[in-house]
Amino acid sequence: MIDPFGRNVSYLRVSVTDRCDFRCVYCMSEDMTFLPKKEILSLEELDRLCSAFVEMGVKKLRMTGGEPLVRRNIMWLFQRLGRHLESGALEELTLTTNGSQLSRFAEELHACGVRRINVSLDTLNPDKFKAITRWGKYDKVMEGLQAAKNAGLQVKINAVALKGVNDDELDHMVDWCGGEGFDLTFIEVMPMGDIGGETRLDQYLPLSMVRARLQEKWTLDEIDYKTGGPARYVKVRETGGRIGFITPMTHNFCESCNRVRLTCTGTLYMCLGQEDAADLRAPLRESDDDGPLHAAIAEAISRKPKGHDFIIDRRHKGPAVSRHMSVTGG
């Protein structure tokens, strides 16, 4: 699938649920109203949709949420999608998780063909963890990370850089991830959805500042490593670990975007930071023939924009798009 700017769209991120067992302060408000269950695609429908994308050239599938592992019977979907790995049509099946359910599912994920996972973890301080996630249990996440290692899963830690919250832990996180054998990616906070009383301008920490601070202690060597996502990686000479930087605000990475995002309601967003979308639920449910579905996907890809318009400054304090990351798929 080639978009209007000649980019090959080979990566689909799928939000299997908008629900989550955390309420992270930069992601959603504490009193979230979630989508009615009747609007949510069934697991069978998600399998059919994902399979249609694989047939059209998608090589990497990432399951996201919300928290994907809180969806009932979600392992059935991983098992079904694993057949595309076995056939060679799909190169990678993975997920982004908050780690709360990994102690239950790590071994089964590996059995389904998952080899790499991203775990969202913004602090190694249990008290801060509680403040950031509101509902999260730090010890449970640590148990999940150990279970993932034991199961043979390669772990990458995703940490949102939050000014005045975890900016004093940067060196500790680099050291800890290096010791655990985890890759680490820092992410700039993004203006998506109403998060209650918090303001993202107060949270926003440019990763140019993060990198400058890290270079005071660590030797960061440029490398060509890529995972298919937007992160730019360096290797930490002292630990041997890798650090990625995802910079939607300070350095727009759209020129190489190979991704589209599917929500749990069947809405396809061609860009994380734009509202333009395509309804795939209608052609999915109107016919058992995949022809109309393939046509709808192709039409959507033909409208993929050049890039997003994220801005955070004193004049743009509100969300750039109204939907939450948990709806779009993180």
Side-chain angles (χ1 to χ4, degrees), residues 99-115:
S100 67
Q101 308 298 314
L102 279 177
S103 58
R104 293 176 56 199
F105 294 122
E107 290 189 5
E108 196 169 353
L109 285 166
H110 190 277
C112 293
V114 175
R115 294 295 178 264

Side-chain angles (χ1 to χ4, degrees), residues 4 270 276-279 296 298-305:
M270 288 71 80
D276 187 33
D279 174 22
E299 193 279 331
I301 299 302
S302 75
R303 292 190 279 119
K304 183 170 169 60

Side-chain angles (χ1 to χ4, degrees), residues 223-238:
I223 56 175
D224 293 331
Y225 178 75
K226 295 185 183 301
T227 63
R232 292 173 168 84
Y233 284 90
V234 297
K235 189 168 186 177
V236 184
R237 197 178 300 175
E238 291 81 359

Side-chain angles (χ1 to χ4, degrees), residues 1-12:
M1 296 185 289
I2 307 298
D3 77 0
F5 302 94
R7 298 170 298 194
N8 181 28
V9 178
S10 59
Y11 182 3
L12 177 67

Side-chain angles (χ1 to χ4, degrees), residues 214-226:
L214 293 177
Q215 286 175 319
E216 294 174 3
K217 179 173 181 178
W218 309 98
T219 308
L220 307 182
D221 296 323
E222 299 285 347
I223 56 175
D224 293 331
Y225 178 75
K226 295 185 183 301

Side-chain angles (χ1 to χ4, degrees), residues 233-272:
Y233 284 90
V234 297
K235 189 168 186 177
V236 184
R237 197 178 300 175
E238 291 81 359
T239 70
R242 288 184 291 248
I243 301 177
F245 298 93
I246 297 181
T247 54
M249 309 306 302
T250 56
H251 184 277
N252 186 307
F253 44 69
C254 303
E255 68 277 0
S256 60
C257 183
N258 62 344
R259 299 169 296 287
V260 289
R261 287 171 164 84
L262 181 69
T263 75
C264 55
T265 63
T267 300
L268 184 71
Y269 285 98
M270 288 71 80
C271 175
L272 180 64

Side-chain angles (χ1 to χ4, degrees), residues 13-30:
R13 302 174 70 110
V14 185
S15 176
V16 298
T17 179
D18 66 326
R19 295 171 186 269
C20 187
D21 49 350
F22 291 2
R23 294 291 184 274
C24 294
V25 295
Y26 55 80
C27 183
M28 59 178 73
S29 63
E30 191 162 10

